[in-house]
Structure formats: C-alpha cells, structure tokens
Amino acid sequence: MAAELDRAVRRWHQLPLDRAVAASAGVRELLGELAGDIPPDLGPAVLMDQLRVVVHDRCDEGEVPGLAERLGALRLGWSA
C-alpha cells in the first residue's frame, strides 16, 4: 500500500494545475471515506499531504481492504 501511495503522490506532483484541480474531487471523496469526514479544501498543492496523513492514520488503525487498488485507480485516472 505504501508503494502505491508513493506512486500516486509522485504522479500528482507531475500533473498540470488544471488537471490537478479537476482530479481533486476524486481524491477528496477518498479522503472523506477514509477519514469519516472530508477535510477542509486547502487546494491541490496540499491535497497529497492530506492524503498521506489520512492514509497513514487509517492504516495505523488496521488494514484497509482495497486501498492500494483504489489509490492505483485514482492515479491511473489522472493519466487519462
């Protein structure tokens, strides 16, 4: 799971701003599912920091089935 999170973060940082803004909704949706509440929208520049924190917090609580696949699907969607 950590490897997929790292891949997603690296890919995110390669996205042009307009594509990152367009893709933010999917990331924020995942954040909401994992955190139980959608964190404040601080913009695409810090969205991956928010994702890292929420993913690590959730994984500290226990395994999150399908999380690596979900992160991979998001990342691949940004390439389209």
Side-chain angles (χ1 to χ4, degrees):
M1 195 290 308
E4 193 57 56
L5 179 59
D6 289 340
R7 285 186 201 108
V9 170
R10 278 194 311 272
R11 178 65 185 118
W12 185 263
H13 289 277
Q14 296 170 350
L15 291 176
L17 180 58
D18 61 330
R19 291 198 35 217
V21 169
S24 293
V27 178
R28 293 185 48 70
E29 179 181 319
L30 178 58
L31 284 171
E33 290 175 23
L34 294 173
D37 192 16
I38 297 175
D41 186 352
L42 302 175
V46 297
L47 193 54
M48 288 299 106
D49 294 329
Q50 290 176 305
L51 182 63
R52 278 190 189 275
V53 169
V54 169
V55 166
H56 284 286
D57 286 352
R58 276 289 277 136
C59 289
D60 282 348
E61 295 172 4
E63 186 176 340
V64 183
L67 181 56
E69 292 80 9
R70 183 79 185 272
L71 289 167
L74 275 175
R75 178 178 53 84
L76 292 173
W78 303 333
S79 298

